[in-house]
Amino acid sequence: MKTLVKRAKEERELMRLNPCRVLEHPPDNGLLVPELVEVSRRVYWARESLLIGVSKLLSFIPVLRCRFCSEIHIGHVGHEIRTCTGPRSGFRSAMHDWKKGRLTDVIYFPKCFHLNDRVGKPRVVHNERFDVPRISAILELCIQAGVNLEQYPVRRRTKPVYCIEGRIVDFDPEMDESNANHDKGHSDDNLKIDSGFMTEVEDMKGDSIKDLIHPLVRLNPENGGSLKELSIGTMASWFEMISGARKIMEKYSVWTCGYCPEVQVGTKGHKLRMCKASRHQSRDGLHAWQEATIDDLVGPNYVWHARDPSGPPLCNNFKRYYGKAPAVVELCVQAGAPVPEQYRSMLRLDVVLPDIDEVDLVV
């Protein structure tokens, strides 16, 4: 705390001595980070490839979801582990009641407000909550990092902004409507975007969508394609999206509420009074913003790992021996993809399951 107070005093003294200064480093000065523009494009298309691949895999491997809580399971038969926390779970001995799941149960992209000008107007106030569109947070991160989408216009600057007595002042004249969506050096003119969870892309400059989607994801197992290769391509898209998003988050700020799962991409969090978590009355419904992680940006939705999908359901007595993994990873592994090295310890593949009569003998 003393270090933070000392740093704040030094910043105030520096601001008093130099009240007018130009912000030098992007993206704080309103300019793009050049080396992250191509990364943002790869993350965008990896997200599209991931959604296409998961939707194809769901035709062969079912996903089950509990009717009363957010628990999901990958497989034909739901597990018997008693972890339900939904309504009246005590009357069911915390057993889950399974129903068929969907794509949004496997992978979840939380939404945030779209900012037309991340530096000039970094915050959305409460009265603007119905006027500003909400899009996926990872899509907003790609837009702020350099992806230009016709449906979601954003202002691109050519000159850095100034900081005068703590206020951001912009001397760069606003571009007209025809040029507002494009940055001459880093424009994505080949993208034409429609609304929807999975974005439809139409070719405008000769680049086909087949050149941008992962080649293994384009395979169709119903027409003779390999289900294993499709799962490998889907998992590769997952890792490319996650690694690229982590790299962008090192420069572009992402915030999450410390009490609820609300996320906002930008220099500051929004000012909406919509938090309903613990002690929200003392904050007047405002969010308590803190730095977000990749799990806040992309909901991994961890599930129990089934070593034998065609075997008996997972038993509640053996839950201490079972591993967990993100639902996308578990889906791809059951489809034939090799187990990733970074998730091998989480899946607990080195743990031997005891027999029923040996459970009481295990220490």
Side-chain angles (χ1 to χ4, degrees):
M1 182 61 68
K2 292 181 179 180
T3 303
L4 295 176
V5 171
K6 182 180 178 181
R7 186 185 307 170
K9 289 181 179 179
E10 292 175 352
E11 292 177 354
R12 285 197 300 268
E13 182 66 19
L14 182 63
M15 189 180 301
R16 187 184 66 83
L17 297 176
N18 187 14
C20 180
R21 57 190 177 92
V22 60
L23 300 179
E24 300 178 357
H25 304 289
D28 296 335
N29 59 3
L31 304 181
L32 295 176
V33 182
E35 59 269 19
L36 293 181
V37 175
E38 185 60 30
V39 177
S40 65
R41 291 201 63 188
R42 292 201 302 267
V43 171
Y44 174 81
W45 288 110
R47 173 182 175 272
E48 297 292 327
S49 302
L50 176 65
L51 294 176
I52 294 174
V54 171
S55 63
K56 291 181 179 180
L57 290 176
L58 290 181
S59 302
F60 301 91
I61 301 177
V63 175
L64 303 177
R65 178 185 178 181
C66 181
R67 296 179 184 272
F68 302 101
C69 68
S70 59
E71 180 85 5
I72 69 170
H73 182 72
I74 310 295
H76 296 273
V77 181
H79 63 73
E80 298 178 354
I81 301 176
R82 301 177 182 180
T83 55
C84 184
T85 57
R88 303 176 67 87
S89 59
F91 292 92
R92 303 188 307 274
S93 298
M95 291 288 291
H96 295 282
D97 187 4
W98 300 107
K99 67 175 183 178
K100 186 177 180 180
R102 301 178 297 175
L103 172 64
T104 53
D105 299 323
V106 178
I107 182 169
Y108 170 66
F109 295 107
K111 292 188 176 182
C112 71
F113 289 98
H114 171 59
L115 301 178
N116 293 322
D117 189 354
R118 66 181 303 273
V119 176
K121 193 178 185 307
R123 277 186 168 176
V124 179
V125 297
H126 188 74
N127 295 335
E128 299 174 343
R129 62 189 184 277
F130 299 120
D131 301 329
V132 181
R134 287 175 65 89
I135 61 177
S136 299
I138 192 169
L139 180 58
E140 175 66 14
L141 183 65
C142 294
I143 292 175
Q144 292 190 14
V147 173
N148 292 314
L149 303 182
E150 184 179 351
Q151 185 181 356
Y152 304 110
V154 63
R155 183 180 179 186
R156 305 294 188 196
R157 287 179 169 81
T158 58
K159 298 179 182 178
V161 298
Y162 286 78
C163 181
I164 301 179
E165 295 182 350
R167 295 177 179 269
I168 299 298
V169 179
D170 188 8
F171 295 103
D172 190 13
E174 293 190 15
M175 295 179 291
D176 56 0
E177 216 173 283
S178 60
N179 298 327
N181 303 334
H182 302 280
D183 184 16
K184 292 182 180 179
H186 312 287
S187 63
D188 292 330
D189 294 333
N190 63 314
L191 300 183
K192 185 176 180 182
I193 306 301
D194 291 335
S195 60
F197 183 72
M198 294 183 59
T199 308
E200 298 179 3
V201 181
E202 182 179 341
D203 181 28
M204 296 178 64
K205 285 265 182 155
D207 287 342
S208 174
I209 186 175
K210 294 183 179 181
D211 298 331
L212 301 169
I213 298 298
H214 195 284
L216 294 180
V217 175
R218 299 198 299 263
L219 299 176
N220 192 352
E222 296 180 351
N223 297 334
S226 173
L227 183 63
K228 180 178 180 180
E229 293 181 353
L230 174 61
S231 63
I232 293 175
T234 303
M235 187 174 293
S237 301
W238 162 264
F239 284 118
E240 184 177 6
M241 181 188 68
I242 294 298
S243 61
R246 278 200 182 101
K247 190 173 182 180
I248 298 175
M249 290 173 66
E250 295 177 359
K251 293 289 186 179
Y252 292 84
S253 301
V254 181
W255 304 94
T256 184
C257 181
Y259 296 94
C260 71
E262 181 72 12
V263 178
Q264 181 60 46
V265 180
T267 57
K268 302 176 182 178
H270 61 70
K271 299 286 288 184
L272 270 69
R273 299 186 296 271
M274 53 185 292
C275 184
K276 304 234 176 8
S278 174
R279 302 186 65 181
H280 65 90
Q281 298 90 346
S282 61
R283 305 187 307 273
D284 196 20
L286 293 174
H287 295 282
W289 296 111
Q290 63 185 25
E291 188 176 352
T293 63
I294 189 63
D295 288 345
D296 299 315
L297 191 68
V298 180
N301 213 345
Y302 289 92
V303 298
W304 295 98
H305 172 58
R307 302 187 184 185
D308 184 10
S310 58
L314 302 183
C315 180
N316 183 69
N317 295 331
F318 293 159
K319 65 180 179 181
R320 58 185 290 195
Y321 306 103
Y322 298 138
K324 277 193 170 186
V328 174
V329 176
E330 176 69 12
L331 181 67
C332 295
V333 168
Q334 291 196 17
V339 178
E341 190 63 30
Q342 53 265 52
Y343 289 107
R344 186 173 293 274
S345 59
M346 294 181 60
L347 295 177
R348 308 193 71 182
L349 299 179
D350 56 338
V351 178
V352 179
L353 294 178
D355 294 332
I356 295 293
D357 55 348
E358 298 176 343
V359 175
D360 298 333
L361 303 178
V362 178
V363 179

